Amino acid sequence: MILSALAVQFINTPQSRRMAQQQLTSTYTVFDIDDDSSTGENLARSLVNTLVIVSVICAMTFLIVLLYKFRCMKLLLGYMILSSTVLFFFLGGFIFTVAIQKYRLPIDAFSYFFSLYNFAMVGTIAVFYQKGISTFITRAYLVATSVILSWQLSHFDDWTAWTLLIMLALYDLCAVLTPCGPL
């Protein structure tokens, strides 16, 4: 959690926040939240945005449970590996790009893509293969996954972030503790 907070604090720039809100979070949000609207309007818009996000998470959870139920293990494993690789490569690359721009790190394109490719491939192998790889490295990449995701989620506006936090907590309780939940 401390690493996530440090990443959000020291890697973000005002330009990267605007760019991420336009590119990354616009994919997940239906309504834009503005400061000129009333509190009720902002709350209603953020609830709709949150319901869309939680609905997608719910649908993906049911799809994963169905794949598991029908013993489609190779397809499920392939999906998990692909999603982790994409997370390490694209979102990790976005964080790396913002850090390079903020701290003016001198790096050429070949070194950038080579290090990014290695980060993504070693991370995927460390998380899924685990044989011959130190548990310290595997845990470090799992922490990196959490930091990358929390950095991504920090680009939501305050209203959507808080309603998403509350709705995800409620969804998690429903999914795990109720008999009709997917887990």
Side-chain angles (χ1 to χ4, degrees), residues 129-154:
Y129 188 60
Q130 296 180 355
K131 293 180 182 168
I133 296 176
S134 169
T135 56
F136 176 76
I137 303 234
T138 301
R139 290 177 185 165
Y141 272 102
L142 290 173
V143 169
T145 301
S146 299
V147 169
I148 290 169
L149 283 175
S150 66
W151 188 81
Q152 166 67 27
L153 291 174
S154 74

CSV table of all heavy atoms in Angstrom, one decimal, residues 129-154:
chain,number,residue,atom,x,y,z
A,129,TYR,N,4.9,-19.5,-13.9
A,129,TYR,CA,5.7,-20.7,-14.0
A,129,TYR,C,6.3,-21.1,-12.7
A,129,TYR,O,6.2,-22.2,-12.3
A,129,TYR,CB,6.8,-20.5,-15.1
A,129,TYR,CG,7.5,-21.7,-15.4
A,129,TYR,CD1,6.8,-22.8,-15.9
A,129,TYR,CD2,8.9,-21.8,-15.2
A,129,TYR,CE1,7.5,-24.0,-16.2
A,129,TYR,CE2,9.5,-23.0,-15.5
A,129,TYR,CZ,8.9,-24.1,-16.0
A,129,TYR,OH,9.5,-25.2,-16.2
A,130,GLN,N,6.9,-20.2,-12.0
A,130,GLN,CA,7.4,-20.3,-10.6
A,130,GLN,C,8.4,-21.3,-10.4
A,130,GLN,O,9.0,-21.4,-9.3
A,130,GLN,CB,6.2,-20.5,-9.6
A,130,GLN,CG,5.3,-19.3,-9.6
A,130,GLN,CD,4.2,-19.5,-8.6
A,130,GLN,OE1,4.0,-20.6,-8.0
A,130,GLN,NE2,3.3,-18.5,-8.4
A,131,LYS,N,8.7,-22.3,-11.3
A,131,LYS,CA,9.7,-23.3,-11.0
A,131,LYS,C,11.1,-22.7,-11.3
A,131,LYS,O,11.3,-22.2,-12.4
A,131,LYS,CB,9.5,-24.5,-11.9
A,131,LYS,CG,8.2,-25.2,-11.5
A,131,LYS,CD,8.0,-26.4,-12.4
A,131,LYS,CE,6.6,-27.1,-12.0
A,131,LYS,NZ,6.2,-28.1,-12.9
A,132,GLY,N,12.0,-22.8,-10.3
A,132,GLY,CA,13.3,-22.2,-10.5
A,132,GLY,C,13.4,-20.8,-10.3
A,132,GLY,O,14.5,-20.2,-10.5
A,133,ILE,N,12.3,-20.1,-9.9
A,133,ILE,CA,12.3,-18.7,-9.7
A,133,ILE,C,12.1,-18.4,-8.2
A,133,ILE,O,11.2,-19.1,-7.6
A,133,ILE,CB,11.2,-18.0,-10.5
A,133,ILE,CG1,11.6,-18.1,-12.0
A,133,ILE,CG2,11.1,-16.5,-10.2
A,133,ILE,CD1,10.5,-17.6,-12.9
A,134,SER,N,12.9,-17.6,-7.7
A,134,SER,CA,12.8,-17.3,-6.2
A,134,SER,C,11.4,-16.7,-5.9
A,134,SER,O,10.8,-16.0,-6.6
A,134,SER,CB,13.9,-16.2,-5.9
A,134,SER,OG,13.7,-15.7,-4.6
A,135,THR,N,11.0,-17.1,-4.7
A,135,THR,CA,9.6,-16.6,-4.2
A,135,THR,C,9.7,-15.1,-4.0
A,135,THR,O,8.7,-14.4,-4.2
A,135,THR,CB,9.2,-17.3,-2.9
A,135,THR,OG1,10.2,-17.1,-2.0
A,135,THR,CG2,8.9,-18.8,-3.2
A,136,PHE,N,10.9,-14.6,-3.7
A,136,PHE,CA,11.0,-13.1,-3.6
A,136,PHE,C,10.7,-12.4,-4.9
A,136,PHE,O,10.0,-11.4,-4.9
A,136,PHE,CB,12.5,-12.8,-3.2
A,136,PHE,CG,12.7,-11.3,-3.1
A,136,PHE,CD1,12.3,-10.6,-2.0
A,136,PHE,CD2,13.4,-10.7,-4.1
A,136,PHE,CE1,12.5,-9.2,-1.9
A,136,PHE,CE2,13.7,-9.3,-4.0
A,136,PHE,CZ,13.2,-8.6,-2.9
A,137,ILE,N,11.2,-13.0,-6.0
A,137,ILE,CA,10.9,-12.4,-7.3
A,137,ILE,C,9.4,-12.5,-7.7
A,137,ILE,O,8.8,-11.5,-8.2
A,137,ILE,CB,11.8,-13.0,-8.4
A,137,ILE,CG1,13.2,-12.9,-8.0
A,137,ILE,CG2,11.4,-12.5,-9.8
A,137,ILE,CD1,14.1,-12.4,-9.0
A,138,THR,N,8.8,-13.6,-7.4
A,138,THR,CA,7.4,-13.8,-7.7
A,138,THR,C,6.6,-12.8,-6.8
A,138,THR,O,5.7,-12.2,-7.4
A,138,THR,CB,7.0,-15.3,-7.3
A,138,THR,OG1,7.7,-16.2,-8.1
A,138,THR,CG2,5.5,-15.5,-7.6
A,139,ARG,N,6.9,-12.7,-5.6
A,139,ARG,CA,6.2,-11.8,-4.7
A,139,ARG,C,6.4,-10.3,-5.2
A,139,ARG,O,5.5,-9.5,-5.1
A,139,ARG,CB,6.6,-11.9,-3.3
A,139,ARG,CG,6.1,-13.2,-2.7
A,139,ARG,CD,6.5,-13.4,-1.3
A,139,ARG,NE,6.1,-14.7,-0.8
A,139,ARG,CZ,6.6,-15.3,0.3
A,139,ARG,NH1,7.5,-14.7,1.0
A,139,ARG,NH2,6.2,-16.5,0.6
A,140,ALA,N,7.6,-10.0,-5.6
A,140,ALA,CA,7.9,-8.7,-6.1
A,140,ALA,C,7.0,-8.3,-7.3
A,140,ALA,O,6.5,-7.2,-7.4
A,140,ALA,CB,9.4,-8.5,-6.4
A,141,TYR,N,6.9,-9.3,-8.2
A,141,TYR,CA,6.0,-9.0,-9.4
A,141,TYR,C,4.5,-9.0,-9.0
A,141,TYR,O,3.8,-8.2,-9.7
A,141,TYR,CB,6.3,-10.1,-10.5
A,141,TYR,CG,7.4,-9.6,-11.4
A,141,TYR,CD1,8.7,-10.2,-11.3
A,141,TYR,CD2,7.2,-8.7,-12.4
A,141,TYR,CE1,9.7,-9.8,-12.1
A,141,TYR,CE2,8.2,-8.3,-13.2
A,141,TYR,CZ,9.5,-8.8,-13.1
A,141,TYR,OH,10.5,-8.4,-13.9
A,142,LEU,N,4.1,-9.7,-8.0
A,142,LEU,CA,2.7,-9.6,-7.6
A,142,LEU,C,2.5,-8.2,-6.9
A,142,LEU,O,1.4,-7.6,-7.1
A,142,LEU,CB,2.4,-10.7,-6.6
A,142,LEU,CG,2.3,-12.1,-7.2
A,142,LEU,CD1,2.2,-13.2,-6.2
A,142,LEU,CD2,1.2,-12.2,-8.2
A,143,VAL,N,3.5,-7.7,-6.2
A,143,VAL,CA,3.4,-6.4,-5.6
A,143,VAL,C,3.4,-5.4,-6.8
A,143,VAL,O,2.6,-4.4,-6.7
A,143,VAL,CB,4.5,-6.1,-4.6
A,143,VAL,CG1,4.6,-4.6,-4.3
A,143,VAL,CG2,4.3,-7.0,-3.4
A,144,ALA,N,4.2,-5.6,-7.8
A,144,ALA,CA,4.2,-4.7,-8.9
A,144,ALA,C,2.9,-4.7,-9.6
A,144,ALA,O,2.4,-3.6,-10.1
A,144,ALA,CB,5.3,-5.1,-9.9
A,145,THR,N,2.2,-5.8,-9.7
A,145,THR,CA,0.9,-5.9,-10.3
A,145,THR,C,-0.1,-5.0,-9.5
A,145,THR,O,-0.9,-4.2,-10.1
A,145,THR,CB,0.4,-7.3,-10.3
A,145,THR,OG1,1.2,-8.1,-11.1
A,145,THR,CG2,-1.0,-7.4,-10.9
A,146,SER,N,0.0,-5.1,-8.2
A,146,SER,CA,-0.9,-4.3,-7.3
A,146,SER,C,-0.6,-2.8,-7.5
A,146,SER,O,-1.5,-2.0,-7.5
A,146,SER,CB,-0.7,-4.7,-5.9
A,146,SER,OG,-1.1,-6.0,-5.7
A,147,VAL,N,0.7,-2.4,-7.6
A,147,VAL,CA,1.1,-1.0,-7.7
A,147,VAL,C,0.6,-0.5,-9.1
A,147,VAL,O,0.1,0.6,-9.1
A,147,VAL,CB,2.6,-0.9,-7.5
A,147,VAL,CG1,3.0,0.5,-7.9
A,147,VAL,CG2,3.0,-1.1,-6.1
A,148,ILE,N,0.8,-1.3,-10.1
A,148,ILE,CA,0.3,-0.8,-11.4
A,148,ILE,C,-1.2,-0.6,-11.5
A,148,ILE,O,-1.7,0.4,-12.0
A,148,ILE,CB,0.8,-1.8,-12.5
A,148,ILE,CG1,2.3,-1.8,-12.7
A,148,ILE,CG2,0.1,-1.6,-13.8
A,148,ILE,CD1,2.9,-2.9,-13.5
A,149,LEU,N,-1.9,-1.5,-10.9
A,149,LEU,CA,-3.4,-1.4,-10.9
A,149,LEU,C,-3.8,-0.2,-10.0
A,149,LEU,O,-4.8,0.5,-10.4
A,149,LEU,CB,-4.0,-2.7,-10.4
A,149,LEU,CG,-4.1,-3.8,-11.5
A,149,LEU,CD1,-4.6,-5.1,-10.8
A,149,LEU,CD2,-4.9,-3.4,-12.7
A,150,SER,N,-3.2,-0.1,-8.9
A,150,SER,CA,-3.6,1.1,-8.0
A,150,SER,C,-3.3,2.4,-8.7
A,150,SER,O,-4.0,3.4,-8.5
A,150,SER,CB,-3.0,0.9,-6.6
A,150,SER,OG,-1.6,1.1,-6.7
A,151,TRP,N,-2.1,2.4,-9.4
A,151,TRP,CA,-1.8,3.7,-10.1
A,151,TRP,C,-2.8,4.0,-11.2
A,151,TRP,O,-3.2,5.1,-11.4
A,151,TRP,CB,-0.4,3.5,-10.7
A,151,TRP,CG,0.2,4.8,-11.3
A,151,TRP,CD1,0.8,5.8,-10.6
A,151,TRP,CD2,0.2,5.2,-12.7
A,151,TRP,NE1,1.1,6.8,-11.5
A,151,TRP,CE2,0.8,6.4,-12.8
A,151,TRP,CE3,-0.3,4.5,-13.8
A,151,TRP,CZ2,0.9,7.1,-13.9
A,151,TRP,CZ3,-0.1,5.2,-15.0
A,151,TRP,CH2,0.5,6.4,-15.1
A,152,GLN,N,-3.3,2.9,-11.8
A,152,GLN,CA,-4.3,3.1,-12.9
A,152,GLN,C,-5.6,3.6,-12.2
A,152,GLN,O,-6.2,4.5,-12.8
A,152,GLN,CB,-4.5,1.8,-13.6
A,152,GLN,CG,-5.8,1.7,-14.4
A,152,GLN,CD,-5.7,2.6,-15.6
A,152,GLN,OE1,-4.7,2.9,-16.1
A,152,GLN,NE2,-6.9,3.1,-16.1
A,153,LEU,N,-6.0,3.0,-11.1
A,153,LEU,CA,-7.3,3.4,-10.5
A,153,LEU,C,-7.2,4.8,-9.9
A,153,LEU,O,-8.2,5.4,-9.6
A,153,LEU,CB,-7.6,2.4,-9.4
A,153,LEU,CG,-8.1,1.0,-10.0
A,153,LEU,CD1,-8.3,0.0,-8.9
A,153,LEU,CD2,-9.3,1.1,-10.9
A,154,SER,N,-6.0,5.3,-9.6
A,154,SER,CA,-5.8,6.7,-9.1
A,154,SER,C,-6.2,7.8,-10.0
A,154,SER,O,-6.3,8.9,-9.6
A,154,SER,CB,-4.4,6.9,-8.6
A,154,SER,OG,-3.5,7.1,-9.7
